[in-house]
Amino acid sequence: MSLANTRVVLQSYAPKDMHSPSLFSIDDSQAVPDAATLQPNQVLVKAEALSIDPHQRRFIDVPDSSNKAAYSFRYPLGKPIVGIGAGTVVASASSQFSVGDWVRSERFPWQSYAVLADQDLVKLLKTTASIIDHVGVLGMPAFTAFLGIALVGQPKAGETMLVSAAAGAVGQVAVQLGKARGLRVVGVAGSDDKVEYVKHLGADEVINYRTCGDFVHAIKQAAPEGIDIYFDNVGGEFLDAALLTLNTHARVAICGSISTYASDKSKIAGIKNLDTIIVKQVTLRSFHYQPHLGTPTETDFLEEMAQLVAANRIQFKLDLRKGLASAPQALADLFSGRNFGKLIVHP
């Protein structure tokens, strides 16, 4: 009897402000592909770690033909959505990969086994005890934190950095890399346990954005000297408030906007304080990790993170969900704040 290849299939697109696992179904009707059916340069990979990330939500929105600026790409209905994933090679028709290799792909479907083109795979070094690390502390979230600080933040010891979503996948690394560079770090999180975790990471002050009241007042209380670097993971109202607390020549790393990804844009208050950028001569820059893959910058990141991990000087909290069937709820939890740490599904 053939082994079932469990798949998480997207059945319908999501209206704005809706986060529900009911958009997906679990399909066990297909068998694991036979190694003998692989075409040249194809690789059969067993999923070991699937990353749950905010950008995936944008690609399951109900298409909005009235908003030309919106993302036009959508995951196709009736198929698994894709994302960053890592797995073990179980069969290969490629000279680049062998059975037993650890690999990562930016296009890993939500299913137990996947046939992937070798050009879409990166071979991973087995320098860590768990392949999951390559989707976490050595993967995209940590690399993103590194880029935001190194390329945009350009920190100088003694400066003050504000980090929103500081208990999240990217934020928790940004906090620690900031402290390693001699910064005073103010973190922002959304629950008491997350606040305590960010303090444990070494943040000098932590704001609970759900209970602090006025955002500008809370930031100024935590950082009366002003903000030199703002690592923004949330966008929206908190970004608008943070602009009013920046010092002259401050740098703002625009990493994400999770507070607005799934929202009805007509109901979101616009950014009102952009004049601060002019008056304070602020650098505001967005960035993305993909253009830096395979570059010397990624090599620098991997070397630094490997040293920090080996010396037990970096912590990385995972929110690990067991089984493919947990993926739809994990994605919903990411937008309701019910996750704590980097969300990864371990099939």
Side-chain angles (χ1 to χ4, degrees):
M1 184 176 179
S2 299
L3 184 65
N5 189 17
T6 300
R7 306 186 308 146
V8 181
V9 177
L10 180 65
Q11 296 291 355
S12 59
Y13 293 122
K16 295 295 184 182
D17 300 314
M18 175 186 175
H19 314 293
S20 173
S22 64
L23 301 170
F24 299 87
S25 66
I26 307 301
D27 174 35
D28 291 317
S29 66
Q30 297 187 8
V32 174
D34 190 327
T37 65
L38 292 178
Q39 299 298 308
N41 303 317
Q42 287 186 332
V43 181
L44 179 60
V45 183
K46 179 183 178 182
E48 306 283 3
L50 299 177
S51 182
I52 307 297
D53 295 305
H55 73 268
Q56 292 172 306
R57 178 60 177 78
R58 299 186 306 220
F59 305 137
I60 62 172
D61 282 345
V62 172
D64 182 2
S65 59
S66 66
N67 184 0
K68 302 301 183 183
Y71 286 86
S72 59
F73 172 79
R74 293 293 183 274
Y75 293 125
L77 297 179
K79 296 182 179 180
I81 71 172
V82 301
I84 299 170
T88 303
V89 173
V90 295
S92 177
S94 167
S95 60
Q96 300 180 47
F97 299 97
S98 302
V99 172
D101 284 347
W102 285 0
V103 294
R104 185 176 63 216
S105 175
E106 303 281 309
R107 300 185 53 78
F108 210 117
W110 281 10
Q111 57 191 61
S112 302
Y113 292 81
V115 175
L116 298 167
D118 58 8
Q119 65 183 9
D120 292 331
L121 295 172
V122 174
K123 187 180 295 186
L124 303 172
L125 297 176
K126 295 185 178 181
T127 55
T128 178
S130 173
I131 192 173
I132 292 173
D133 288 341
H134 289 282
V135 183
V137 71
L138 297 176
M140 179 273 289
F143 189 28
T144 299
F146 177 89
L147 290 169
I149 292 175
L151 295 185
V152 184
Q154 300 181 11
K156 304 174 186 68
E159 290 186 320
T160 298
M161 179 171 71
L162 177 68
V163 182
S164 56
V170 175
Q172 61 180 311
V173 179
V175 168
Q176 295 174 86
L177 292 181
K179 293 303 298 180
R181 285 158 172 74
L183 300 179
R184 183 173 186 273
V185 176
V186 177
V188 184
S191 67
D192 290 342
D193 55 347
K194 291 180 181 179
V195 166
E196 289 305 311
Y197 175 65
V198 177
K199 289 180 180 177
H200 180 67
L201 295 177
D204 299 277
E205 297 285 344
V206 187
I207 299 167
N208 186 332
Y209 75 87
R210 295 186 188 275
T211 61
C212 70
D214 181 75
F215 290 158
V216 175
H217 177 71
I219 297 170
K220 288 184 174 181
Q221 271 199 321
E225 69 283 3
I227 302 300
D228 300 296
I229 303 168
Y230 175 39
F231 198 114
D232 179 34
N233 290 302
V234 300
E237 292 182 31
F238 198 88
L239 168 60
D240 202 35
L243 292 176
L244 294 178
T245 69
L246 299 177
N247 290 329
T248 300
H249 298 136
R251 288 81 70 198
V252 180
I254 302 294
C255 177
S257 185
I258 195 169
S259 70
T260 65
Y261 283 155
S263 301
D264 183 340
K265 297 297 187 286
S266 68
K267 300 178 181 177
I268 298 173
I271 302 297
K272 306 179 184 68
N273 299 314
L274 286 177
D275 55 333
T276 301
I277 297 174
I278 302 169
V279 175
K280 295 290 185 69
Q281 302 172 68
V282 170
T283 298
L284 187 150
R285 177 182 170 186
S286 63
F287 64 100
H288 198 278
Y289 74 97
Q290 283 184 326
H292 302 280
L293 293 174
T295 69
T297 302
E298 185 181 24
T299 301
D300 292 343
F301 156 71
L302 290 172
E303 289 178 352
E304 178 174 349
M305 290 302 293
Q307 291 172 6
L308 291 172
V309 170
N312 291 317
R313 293 180 54 205
I314 197 83
Q315 301 176 61
F316 193 81
K317 189 174 184 63
L318 294 175
D319 189 334
L320 193 62
R321 307 295 176 91
K322 298 290 187 181
L324 266 174
S326 68
Q329 185 63 59
L331 185 61
D333 288 350
L334 184 61
F335 286 88
S336 62
R338 290 196 293 268
N339 69 300
F340 189 175
K342 170 57 187 164
L343 267 170
I344 295 175
V345 170
H346 179 47

